[in-house]
């Protein structure tokens, strides 16, 4: 029988730390519910002290998801730990994940702290965390660039004070697989009490080795792997959950390990995370890239037609691809729509169902057949909806090769219609300037992306933008078969999110 590898998902914490990702409470909860269907063992729901929204997300996920362990991150100090404990109060199986750096590089240059002080703080943090839960994970940040003996002393102290999970992060993605496996062996032979705890690893992908390093660690006795859906996370990201799960699913017997991941939920989870974070996936990305199962060369296609196993090591159905039963069109009714949304693993609140159905009907009228990608875009756009300070009423654009583009946008704000016009470098730029005039928010466009969610000239265009104002950065998204309209909707979505954050900061007295 293979040994179980615990999957600790950090999509909502480390994943959300990736530049440009900003999930609100509802979006995080949707992802957490899907992670539960995927059957991960632990959901790291956030870093409660870092923001009001992170605190709220951990609290909401703890309330809603009772069949998983819910973890919250905190630095090794009393304040952070108390706030994490409070956020996890309603969790059925709470995990406090506390961390401090162990490398001299971090201690000397960043924290200006001695090794002795860090060691004491690690022990105190674990002891304090145990006041809130029996399951405490301790991480030694930058473990792979630390002095190995000092690292072992720190782990020993954490275990002595009651940690039951010891995490070895490769924080900057520096380790080589063979070197990392030696470090795991070293920890197993040099830390008193290590046999009584779960050894975990948390690898970053700066050198593209996060998955390889995680698996090497598992081959050397680590029994928990920390990873994120689509590999999102700080900088180059974390080890990708779907790669870890499918490697173990495909080759786990030889390695003597298994996971409890329901692999047929992988593509749904990946799509949901992609839509809500706005992080696109490279077409050649292993497992979830759109070409991961596409065979282009004649020789490969010939082999596939004769016998799939010639060039296919994973069946697309194993990750939940191509198992769709229902096709929707303009004659489909509400019942079929709901059935299909559920079949795709998407969930809509009762109050959102009607407007999503209406959008579906409008689109079906224009396009005829509605495929899964169109539907996913409609539904996730609904899930992403935030408080509507501004609602688009209508717009008009003039543009061409010989005239200066001009846009007039009419928006409902505070129940009043407000209209503004502007000229710009093309109809989209002109529209964004007109919207700024209405909202009065001094917005900077940081990034703009457009993608056709499905094939064909009448495909839905999904625009994702990143905008910032007053040092807050948010992602806005909009869909339409018209790219100017999709862009305007994305910009207004961004403005709504910024307005909510600015209002929240005003209420808390952070700004005037
Ligand atoms: O990369 C890292 O070291 C982390 C820790 C907080 C576990 O994310
Ligand atoms: Zn990390």
């Amino acid at each position: 029988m293979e040994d179980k590898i615990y999957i600790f998902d950090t999509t909502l914490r480390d994943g959300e730390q990736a530049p440009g990702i900003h999930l609100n409470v509802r979006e995080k909860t949707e992802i957490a519910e899907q992670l539960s269907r995927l059957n991960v063992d632990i959901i790291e729901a956030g870093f409660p002290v870092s923001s009001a929204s992170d605190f709220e997300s951990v609290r909401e996920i703890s309330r809603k998801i009772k069949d998983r362990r819910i973890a919250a991150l905190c630095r090794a100090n009393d304040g952070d730990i108390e706030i994490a404990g409070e956020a996890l109060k309603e969790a059925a199986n709470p995990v406090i994940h506390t961390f401090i750096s162990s490398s001299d590089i971090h201690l000397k240059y960043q924290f200006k702290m001695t090794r002795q002080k860090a060691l004491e703080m690690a022990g105190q943090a674990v002891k304090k965390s145990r006041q809130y839960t029996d399951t405490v994970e301790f991480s030694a940040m930058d473990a792979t660039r630390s002095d190995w003996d000092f690292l072992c002393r720190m782990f020993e102290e954490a275990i002595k004070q009651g940690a039951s999970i010891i995490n070895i992060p490769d924080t900057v993605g520096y380790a080589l697989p063979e070197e990392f496996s030696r470090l795991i062996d070293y920890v197993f032979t040099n830390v008193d009490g290590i046999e009584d705890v779960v050894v975990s690893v948390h690898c970053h992908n700066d050198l593209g080795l996060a998955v390889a390093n995680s698996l090497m660690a598992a081959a050397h006795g680590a029994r928990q792997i920390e990873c994120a859906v689509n590999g999102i996370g700080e900088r180059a990201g974390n080890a990708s959950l779907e790669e870890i799960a499918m490697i173990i699913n495909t080759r786990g017997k030889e390695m003597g390990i298994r996971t409890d991941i329901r692999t047929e939920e992988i593509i749904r989870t990946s799509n949901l995370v992609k839509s809500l974070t706005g992080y696109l996936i490279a077409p050649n990305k292993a497992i979830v890239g759109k070409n991961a199962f596409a065979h282009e060369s004649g020789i490969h296609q010939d082999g596939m037609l004769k016998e799939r196993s010639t060039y296919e090591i994973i069946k697309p159905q194993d990750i939940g691809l191509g198992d769709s039963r229902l096709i929707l069109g303009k004659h489909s009714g509400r019942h079929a729509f709901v059935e299909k949304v559920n079949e795709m693993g998407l969930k809509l609140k009762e109050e959102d169902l009607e407007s999503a159905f209406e959008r579906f009907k409008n689109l079906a009228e224009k396009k005829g057949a509605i495929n899964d990608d169109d539907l996913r875009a409609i539904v996730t756009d609904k899930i992403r909806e935030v408080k509507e300070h501004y609602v688009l009423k209508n717009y008009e654009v003039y543009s061409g090769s010989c005239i200066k583009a001009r846009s007039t946008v009419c928006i409902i704000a505070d129940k009043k219609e407000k209209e503004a016009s502007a000229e710009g470098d093309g109809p989209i730029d002109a529209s964004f300037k007109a919207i700024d005039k209405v909202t009065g928010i001094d917005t900077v466009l940081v990034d703009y992306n457009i993608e056709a969610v499905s094939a064909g000239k009448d495909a839905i265009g999904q625009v994702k933008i990143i905008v910032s104002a007053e040092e807050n950065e948010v992602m806005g998204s909009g869909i339409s078969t018209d790219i100017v309209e999709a862009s305007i909707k994305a910009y207004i979505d961004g403005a709504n999110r910024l307005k909510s954050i600015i209002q929240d900061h005003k209420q808390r007295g952070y700004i005037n």
Side-chain angles (χ1 to χ4, degrees), residues 10 13-14 17 44 73 97-99 137 139-143 167 169-172 202-204 226 234-235 238:
T10 187
R13 199 276 298 168
D14 213 321
Q17 282 171 223
E44 188 167 44
L73 184 72
H97 177 190
T98 185
F99 73 100
E137 168 168 329
S139 286
M141 188 156 76
D142 206 19
N167 187 33
D170 184 22
T171 303
V172 290
H202 173 110
C203 299
H204 279 271
E226 303 198 354
E234 282 279 2
R235 307 178 309 279
N238 285 82

Side-chain angles (χ1 to χ4, degrees), residues 265-485:
E265 292 290 337
I266 283 179
I267 205 73
R268 276 186 210 122
T269 317
S270 165
N271 281 331
L272 183 67
V273 170
K274 177 182 130 181
S275 309
L276 295 182
T277 59
Y279 256 49
L280 304 180
I281 296 171
N284 61 334
K285 158 92 173 65
I287 316 296
V288 293
K290 88 172 175 347
N291 293 346
F293 295 92
H295 300 269
E296 178 73 19
S297 96
I299 296 176
H300 287 208
Q301 288 178 351
D302 175 59
M304 283 291 290
L305 289 169
K306 288 174 177 150
E307 163 57 44
R308 296 191 79 87
S309 63
T310 49
Y311 291 96
E312 198 169 82
I313 56 163
I314 300 167
K315 289 204 272 316
Q317 299 88 302
D318 291 350
I319 62 160
L321 269 172
D323 56 356
S324 180
R325 288 174 290 114
L326 276 164
I327 309 286
L328 297 183
K330 62 180 180 180
H331 300 298
S332 306
R334 203 170 181 282
H335 183 71
F337 173 78
V338 174
E339 186 87 345
K340 180 76 187 178
V341 168
N342 292 341
E343 178 194 300
M344 289 173 67
L346 299 166
K347 283 208 308 176
L348 273 173
K349 284 188 185 158
E350 199 49 44
E351 64 265 28
D352 293 334
L353 208 61
E354 212 43 62
S355 57
F357 180 60
E358 206 175 295
R359 267 194 190 188
F360 154 74
K361 280 301 228 187
N362 290 339
L363 189 69
E365 205 53 56
K366 282 192 206 157
K367 279 195 72 177
I370 298 292
N371 64 26
D372 288 10
D373 294 325
D374 294 327
L375 197 65
R376 188 173 301 107
I378 293 173
V379 173
T380 43
D381 203 51
K382 198 73 227 163
I383 292 171
R384 287 197 79 255
E385 250 175 39
V386 284
K387 188 164 181 329
E388 293 188 308
H389 306 282
Y390 310 109
V391 179
L392 175 66
K393 180 145 191 278
N394 53 47
Y395 70 94
E396 237 173 60
V397 288
Y398 299 95
S399 94
S401 52
C402 306
I403 54 165
K404 181 100 181 145
R406 184 169 184 79
S407 171
T408 302
V409 183
C410 179
I411 285 174
I412 303 178
D414 295 330
K415 299 196 179 120
K416 283 190 215 105
E417 275 183 29
K418 289 189 182 169
E419 196 179 274
S421 300
E423 287 187 341
D425 195 3
I428 294 174
D429 183 45
S431 303
F432 289 179
K433 286 185 173 136
I435 297 167
D436 282 347
K437 282 189 185 171
V438 172
T439 63
I441 302 176
D442 193 7
T443 313
V444 177
L445 181 67
V446 180
D447 200 11
Y448 175 96
N449 230 301
I450 180 153
E451 190 191 35
V453 300
S454 53
K457 287 190 189 143
D458 58 354
I460 295 185
Q462 178 154 42
V463 171
K464 286 177 179 157
I465 53 157
I466 297 188
V467 281
S468 74
E470 299 186 18
E471 291 179 22
N472 304 295
E473 219 178 67
V474 297
M475 198 260 284
S477 144
I479 56 167
S480 172
T481 46
D482 177 324
I483 60 166
V484 176
E485 184 172 303

Side-chain angles (χ1 to χ4, degrees), residues 9 14 115 120 133 176 199 218 262 322 343 381 414 440 455 512:
D9 178 275
D14 213 321
R115 285 186 182 182
E120 282 163 23
T133 174
L176 297 173
V199 171
R262 289 190 197 112
E343 178 194 300
D381 203 51
D414 295 330
N512 297 319

Side-chain angles (χ1 to χ4, degrees), residues 167-183:
N167 187 33
I168 310 177
D170 184 22
T171 303
V172 290
Y174 179 72
L176 297 173
E178 184 274 337
E179 174 193 36
F180 196 46
S181 67
R182 276 192 288 115
L183 174 58

Side-chain angles (χ1 to χ4, degrees), residues 12-13 16-17 21-29 44-63 71-72 83 87-88 386 472-474 497 500-502 504-505 508 510:
L12 299 175
R13 199 276 298 168
E16 216 248 356
Q17 282 171 223
I21 297 187
H22 308 277
L23 298 167
N24 63 26
V25 179
R26 170 151 187 216
E27 291 158 354
K28 283 193 171 182
T29 311
E44 188 167 44
F47 187 2
V49 80
S50 69
S51 70
S53 155
D54 252 46
F55 179 90
E56 221 18 79
S57 303
V58 174
R59 190 151 70 169
E60 186 64 9
I61 292 168
S62 300
R63 265 185 203 139
I83 289 173
L88 286 168
V386 284
N472 304 295
E473 219 178 67
V474 297
R497 284 163 192 267
S500 292
I501 295 176
I502 293 167
D504 182 56
H505 285 185
R508 286 168 199 278
Y510 300 161

